[in-house]
Amino acid sequence: MDELVKKIAGLGLPGILFVIATASSGGSVAAVVAMLSSLGGPLGLLGGLGLLGLVGVLGEYIASFGIEAILKLVYTERSKTDSVRFLLKEIDELPITDDLKVKLKDHISPVGVSEHSQDEPPKTIEIVDEESLT
């Protein structure tokens, strides 16, 4: 069992994903092949195995640079094509810590993120026609 654990640990995140998929399928080879084929899309089983390899490579890069630096770079690029308001809303919905959310918001909107309080009522503007007053 220790040998198996060492080999899976050597595979990293893809190995863990593969073990989870195998365990959830009840150990059935056909179910594992079907799962890998569905992950691979039009490339089938080979595409699924390639995707597991890609996940491993991405995991190594993220670990070496840090998630904060990667997210900042991604949102800097996206702010060139997407609206900042949309990105700020997307950041609010990310499953990350509040501290990291604030750092990302400050990074893409350095002027400052002003969140409107829910307690403030909306402002009402009254337009008066001057001709009807005379």
Side-chain angles (χ1 to χ4, degrees), residues 40-61:
L43 299 177
L45 179 64
L46 292 177
L49 291 172
L51 182 65
L52 286 179
L54 179 65
V55 167
V57 170
L58 289 176
E60 287 178 28
Y61 278 118

Side-chain angles (χ1 to χ4, degrees), residues 71-114:
L71 287 175
K72 282 183 178 181
L73 290 172
V74 167
Y75 278 106
T76 299
E77 278 300 310
R78 290 192 58 205
S79 66
K80 294 176 183 176
T81 57
D82 294 335
S83 74
V84 174
R85 178 175 287 174
F86 174 76
L87 295 176
L88 292 174
K89 183 180 177 191
E90 184 178 289
I91 290 170
D92 275 334
E93 296 171 358
L94 288 175
I96 55 177
T97 63
D98 291 336
D99 186 42
L100 185 53
K101 286 180 185 180
V102 169
K103 288 178 183 178
L104 288 174
K105 288 178 181 180
D106 287 342
H107 181 72
I108 64 170
S109 179
V111 176
V113 179
S114 63

